[in-house]
Amino acid sequence: LRHHLRLLQAAAELCDAQLEGAEIGSQTLTTTPGPIKAGSLAVHMSTAQGVTWALATFLPALLSADAPTVVHLKGGTHSPGSPLLEEYTEALFPLLTRMGASLEIQRTIPGFYPAAGGEVVMTVTPPPEGQWTPLRLVDGGSLVRKEAIAQVAQLGENIAQRELDTLREKMTWADDELTLRNLHKSTGPGNVLTVKLHRESHVEIFGGVGERGVRAETVAENVAAAAREYLAAQVPASRNLARRLLPFIALAGEGSVS
């Protein structure tokens, strides 16, 4: 709950909102927003949650502002139960760019659960004069490339290798589609497995974060199951990507995703 409250307080600062009842244990909340303030936004989450939830919270407002904003976020970039940072930077952001926005990443430092300490610095620029280009994601086109990346930080590479071995078996992928990376720039130990499906129209990303007590094989099996479910559905956009696109399609005033 505390990270939800922190995001609420930061959102209020972004638009000079008046808050009533913004405290742990409150039963009611009243907010009166003001105009969105572009320029800079810094949010430091004290838990392993935060970075992608912060992006989900602030991006619609920042892309409705009348000027660019430099965003500095600290917290977890890869945490169980949270979207992976790559789901935004590599899947959502290119589509928003196609709609007229600009999202330029200046720096990222991975922060894994539970240590967190990750960092994202980026510049968010709304479409020129607020004019969005409608997105119509109704045909995903062919699958042109697929890849899986298992990453570890301050942990044995055997964890990542077991994930890739399991994924190879479950997805019947070739060795050149599987990559192991040892991250040397991280604030703490961690592991993440990411599957990237490059379609003609966009990229879909599925991933899982290693946890204490959860076998590497289980992480890979869950990621493989999510990717296979999406491929079997034969739809352009996954449920998660479609849900993240909806606020921006609403800002554009028209568009579609299926």
Side-chain angles (χ1 to χ4, degrees), residues 49-133:
Q49 305 289 336
V51 168
T52 50
W53 294 129
L55 289 172
T57 301
F58 302 127
L59 273 181
L62 294 174
L63 289 174
S64 300
D66 57 5
T69 299
V70 176
V71 179
H72 189 177
L73 305 175
K74 288 187 176 182
T77 59
H78 299 85
S79 303
S82 299
L84 302 182
L85 180 60
E86 293 86 349
E87 294 181 61
Y88 279 79
T89 59
E90 299 183 37
L92 179 63
F93 285 6
L95 294 174
L96 297 183
T97 299
R98 194 184 306 175
M99 296 176 70
S102 173
L103 302 113
E104 181 183 354
I105 304 289
Q106 277 88 37
R107 181 171 73 253
T108 61
I109 298 175
F112 292 97
Y113 172 88
E119 186 175 9
V120 177
V121 179
M122 60 183 295
T123 300
V124 178
T125 304
E129 300 181 359
Q131 296 299 308
W132 290 80
T133 299

Side-chain angles (χ1 to χ4, degrees), residues 2-73:
R2 293 191 181 279
H3 70 272
H4 291 95
L5 179 59
R6 179 67 191 100
L7 291 176
L8 174 64
Q9 293 168 336
E13 294 169 8
L14 179 61
C15 61
D16 274 337
Q18 300 298 314
L19 294 178
E20 296 181 18
E23 56 189 33
I24 299 296
S26 175
Q27 299 297 306
T28 60
L29 172 68
T30 302
T31 177
T32 306
I36 299 170
K37 298 186 301 182
S40 64
L41 173 68
V43 182
H44 184 187
M45 307 299 292
S46 59
T47 70
Q49 305 289 336
V51 168
T52 50
W53 294 129
L55 289 172
T57 301
F58 302 127
L59 273 181
L62 294 174
L63 289 174
S64 300
D66 57 5
T69 299
V70 176
V71 179
H72 189 177
L73 305 175

Side-chain angles (χ1 to χ4, degrees), residues 170-257:
K170 297 296 181 180
M171 303 292 288
T172 62
W173 285 8
D175 287 346
D176 61 1
E177 296 170 324
L178 309 174
T179 301
L180 189 156
R181 291 179 184 166
N182 197 326
L183 300 176
H184 300 289
K185 191 176 183 180
S186 173
T187 57
N191 158 243
V192 59
L193 174 65
T194 308
V195 163
K196 302 179 183 182
L197 304 176
H198 299 259
R199 304 191 63 170
E200 290 179 324
S201 61
H202 68 291
V203 178
E204 288 283 354
I205 293 183
F206 303 90
V209 177
E211 301 179 65
R212 184 182 298 273
V214 179
R215 299 174 69 246
E217 290 80 5
T218 300
V219 173
E221 288 166 358
N222 291 338
V223 174
R228 289 201 308 266
E229 180 184 15
Y230 164 72
L231 291 170
Q234 298 184 340
V235 294
S238 65
R239 287 190 295 258
N240 286 336
L241 181 59
R243 183 174 66 247
R244 292 177 191 128
L245 280 169
L246 287 178
F248 307 101
I249 291 177
L251 287 176
E254 60 177 306
S256 56
V257 57

